[in-house]
């Protein structure tokens, strides 16, 4: 019965986290970087805290949050100006 109650708590939280993830990932420019970094840090913290409960549903939820936080942090670190590539020098233009 305890696992069932845990799952009933986790599923709405998972839907809410996905909605926040989608909202942050669809933003543009500097706003996207700020939102993704802040939400990524929050998801990482919540994911680590979910692993403390030591039950299978909470551990799964924690791992999902940690994986999505890594993705959000990567999107937050993405560069804004994608016109210049790494292998291009000023001499090449």
């Amino acid at each position: 019965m305890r696992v069932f109650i845990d799952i009933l708590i986790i599923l709405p939280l998972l839907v809410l986290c996905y909605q926040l993830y989608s909202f942050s990932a669809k933003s543009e420019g500097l706003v996207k970087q700020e939102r993704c970094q802040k939400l990524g840090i929050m998801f990482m913290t919540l994911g680590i805290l979910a692993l403390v409960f030591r039950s299978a549903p909470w551990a799964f939820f924690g791992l999902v949050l940690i994986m999505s936080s890594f993705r959000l942090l990567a999107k937050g670190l993405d560069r804004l100006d994608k016109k210049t590539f790494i292998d291009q020098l000023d001499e090449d233009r």
Side-chain angles (χ1 to χ4, degrees):
M1 187 67 175
R2 170 84 177 158
V3 174
F4 181 70
I5 293 172
D6 286 346
I7 291 173
L8 285 178
I9 294 170
I10 289 171
L11 285 177
L13 288 175
L14 201 59
V15 170
L16 177 69
C17 290
Y18 179 72
Q19 290 291 323
L20 291 172
Y21 174 85
S22 298
F23 176 72
S24 296
K26 290 180 182 175
S27 301
E28 294 292 328
L30 191 60
V31 175
K32 178 180 180 177
Q33 283 185 340
E34 291 175 1
R35 285 181 182 165
C36 286
Q37 287 176 358
K38 289 177 184 177
L39 192 64
I41 292 170
M42 187 183 80
F43 277 6
M44 182 66 75
T45 305
L46 292 176
I48 292 170
L49 286 176
L51 293 176
V52 172
F53 289 113
R54 292 186 172 206
S55 67
W58 285 104
F60 180 74
F61 177 64
L63 292 175
V64 167
L65 281 180
I66 289 172
M67 288 186 290
S68 60
S69 72
F70 281 134
R71 184 146 177 150
L72 278 170
L73 289 171
K75 287 183 184 222
L77 292 174
D78 199 16
R79 57 195 170 100
L80 295 174
D81 184 25
K82 294 187 179 183
K83 296 176 186 171
T84 306
F85 297 101
I86 295 173
D87 58 346
Q88 286 182 343
L89 295 175
D90 290 333
E91 300 169 359
D92 294 340
R93 291 183 194 168

